[in-house]
Amino acid sequence: MASNMRLSWCLGFFLVLAAVVGGAAAAGYSAPGFQPTPWKQAYATFYGDETASATMGGACGYGNLFNTGYGTDTAALSSVLFNNGYGCGQCFQLQCVKSKWCNKGSPITTLTATNLCPPNWSEDSNNGGWCNPPRTHFDMAKPAFMKIAQWNGGIVPVMFRRVACARKGGIRFSFQGNGYWLLVYVMNVGGSGDIANMWVKGTKTGWISMSHNWGASYQAFATLGGQALSFKIISYTSHQTLIANNVAPASWQVGMTYTANVNFT
């Protein structure tokens, strides 16, 4: 997992909100940014205890969720929502409905997807195998679950919708890998919260396409040591393009986290 150290070193950042030439533009995409989706039905459970320690180090690769800014308002998604990791970082509003276990007033809470709730094929989908496809399910951190329902209810029906992620402090790029392979975990993404494609550019290279590794991590098999690094990101949902120039200095190191003080809106 990425180190919790952070270093902000920037010469300049450029935020480009685009309707993706020839793609989304041709399909009629117009308003920039992510718009809330309609409400849908699902179910929610919880895992871990009140400390949410069991939610740390989830499948998205965010590491310690307190140190990376996500806290306890998080959930593991069933594979239908997790979408092979492209659901990482997405934000949802949930409301407990039609259950005696719902908290009074049916409050709405907002959470971030940070983990995968894997299928449990040894259990029936309606009796223990809550995250088996094609079920839409949220396995919430216990503190988040208790905001909408009583924990002893175990499982409750919910209404949910995707919403924009409100983030502060810019996007964080946590480096792993070696001199010939750069693996980057991308955290604290605002707006749609998710990533479809990513590129890296050194001061001696052009844009190099990065492949999706798993969760919220992207990799490039290239020799990039000794070069200041810039990144280009396209949102999975809103199709916005963001370019952050000179995010990491030429002296960048594996195990460090670098911050670009820009974000999707």
Side-chain angles (χ1 to χ4, degrees), residues 194-206:
D194 52 24
I195 298 172
N197 300 103
M198 184 168 165
W199 292 260
V200 61
K201 183 169 70 70
T203 48
K204 300 177 183 177
T205 74

Side-chain angles (χ1 to χ4, degrees), residues 105-158:
S106 298
I108 296 173
T109 191
T110 303
L111 49 81
T112 303
T114 60
N115 204 354
L116 167 68
C117 180
N120 181 5
W121 299 115
S122 65
E123 301 288 347
D124 184 87
S125 295
N126 294 310
N127 187 23
W130 309 119
C131 291
N132 295 348
R135 289 181 62 97
T136 301
H137 191 87
F138 296 85
D139 198 19
M140 304 169 65
K142 189 174 182 180
F145 184 88
M146 292 191 299
K147 289 183 177 182
I148 62 171
Q150 301 172 53
W151 68 267
N152 47 332
I155 179 171
V156 294
V158 296

